[in-house]
Amino acid sequence: MFRRRIYLAAGLLALGAGTAGIFLPLLPTVPFYILAAFCFGRSNPAWEARLLDHPRFGPHIRAWREHGAISIRAKAWALTMLTVSAVIGLTFLKWPWSLFPAAAALCSGAWIWTRPSRS
């Protein structure tokens, strides 16, 4: 019972962060919704079903669950934004702080690049 409440709270936090990501350009939406679906699957299956049935986000969540895949468009968008963030960091931050955005972009970009693609 306690574990279920923890998953529910985590799912609600992830859903809130994902929803904020719709309006904030550097905050991702779908990864938080994937996390929310995972948490709701262990706490509130009806809410999980609503996320999986969502016309915009449901296909992304299902593709990740079934194949660990990221759409080509989402992959291109993520890699572009990571590159822009790294360049901004290298341009405007002082040494050695300028290396942190570049390192984060390199690590997460490499991980995204290696995920299977779907159309």
Side-chain angles (χ1 to χ4, degrees):
M1 185 66 160
F2 179 71
R3 184 179 290 178
R4 186 174 171 169
R5 288 184 182 173
I6 295 295
Y7 276 118
L8 182 62
L12 289 170
L13 284 172
L15 186 65
T19 302
I22 293 171
F23 306 103
L24 300 172
L26 295 179
L27 190 65
T29 298
V30 174
F32 283 114
Y33 282 2
I34 290 170
L35 177 60
F38 171 82
C39 293
F40 290 152
R42 284 150 180 75
S43 63
N44 191 328
W47 289 1
E48 175 193 29
R50 285 188 70 182
L51 278 176
L52 292 173
D53 293 336
H54 191 278
R56 179 154 178 95
F57 302 113
H60 296 289
I61 296 168
R62 277 190 247 93
W64 179 256
R65 282 185 168 183
E66 295 167 9
H67 309 290
I70 302 171
S71 73
I72 294 169
R73 183 175 175 211
K75 200 182 264 199
W77 182 251
L79 294 172
T80 300
M81 295 286 59
L82 285 168
T83 302
V84 168
S85 297
V87 169
I88 289 171
L90 289 169
T91 303
F92 293 106
L93 295 175
K94 294 184 183 207
W95 177 266
W97 302 109
S98 62
L99 296 178
F100 286 101
L106 185 62
C107 292
S108 55
W111 185 84
I112 291 169
W113 181 265
T114 60
R115 299 304 94 203
S117 296
R118 70 169 186 85
S119 2

